[in-house]
Amino acid sequence: MSAKTGSCLDCSGAITNISLRCKSCARKYEWSMGVRVPSPTSHPPLLASRVRNMPDVQSAWIGALIEGEGHIRQDGRGLIVEMVEVEPISTLLRFTGCGSVEYYPARSIRHQDRWRWSVRRRREVQDILRQVHPFLAAKQELALRLLEDKYVNS
């Protein structure tokens, strides 16, 4: 199988496989989003959430995508959207400002290549759910329960 190629979201440099940014831009992006090195003499600090405050239109779009193509883990430790098209996945990453994108090649000729956006940090999951829960239907009850859960809020 050949590697997927494309161009970096920031500098238009060449990238391969699953990343949306080249290595140089990815490092700059991580530092601009508040990644800090913990002090060796103390407990690691809690990182601030990287979730952007989104207008209602974007929150509604993300809520619809989560409702139709997404999965919310029961323990609040994951929010996943998986699709065969990369454009909605890259838009999700751009709107929220957080998460990771992974590429999965087709397992056989019956399957298609897949792209997965996922958020694993509880605080980021909570911040996204806080903004999109009014636009959820079937998954709204789970989202509200996770927002009230003391383990998710810690």
Side-chain angles (χ1 to χ4, degrees):
M1 285 189 181
S2 63
K4 296 269 185 186
T5 59
S7 58
C8 176
L9 290 176
D10 298 328
C11 71
S12 299
I15 59 170
T16 58
N17 284 345
I18 62 173
S19 63
L20 295 177
R21 291 182 169 84
C22 64
K23 286 184 181 179
S24 173
C25 291
R27 281 193 210 102
K28 291 177 195 171
Y29 177 77
E30 288 172 1
W31 282 104
S32 72
M33 297 308 283
V35 175
R36 297 179 286 172
V37 178
S39 168
T41 59
S42 65
H43 293 288
L46 293 174
L47 299 178
S49 175
R50 300 180 289 183
V51 177
R52 293 187 175 116
N53 288 325
M54 298 172 282
D56 283 349
V57 173
Q58 291 179 355
S59 295
W61 184 84
I62 291 170
L65 204 59
I66 291 171
E67 188 71 38
E69 301 289 334
H71 173 74
I72 303 171
R73 281 189 47 168
Q74 296 281 337
D75 60 1
R77 292 186 143 197
L79 189 55
I80 299 166
V81 175
E82 193 169 298
M83 302 183 80
V84 297
E85 295 293 326
V86 71
E87 291 306 318
I89 298 295
S90 63
T91 303
L92 245 172
L93 184 65
R94 192 172 58 250
F95 283 177
T96 61
C98 69
S100 62
V101 175
E102 299 168 289
Y103 168 73
Y104 296 94
R107 296 181 303 223
S108 71
I109 59 173
R110 293 182 182 188
H111 295 95
Q112 295 180 339
D113 296 346
R114 299 173 292 143
W115 294 88
R116 177 186 289 173
W117 171 81
S118 61
V119 178
R120 300 285 182 203
R121 291 178 64 201
R122 285 182 176 176
R123 183 173 288 172
E124 291 175 355
V125 170
Q126 181 184 18
D127 287 348
I128 291 170
L129 291 178
R130 188 175 291 121
Q131 294 184 60
V132 304
H133 84 271
F135 307 104
L136 296 174
K139 297 177 182 176
Q140 186 177 39
E141 185 178 329
L142 173 61
L144 289 172
R145 189 167 43 87
L146 291 174
L147 288 172
E148 294 171 357
D149 190 358
K150 66 179 181 179
Y151 297 109
V152 176
N153 292 327
S154 59

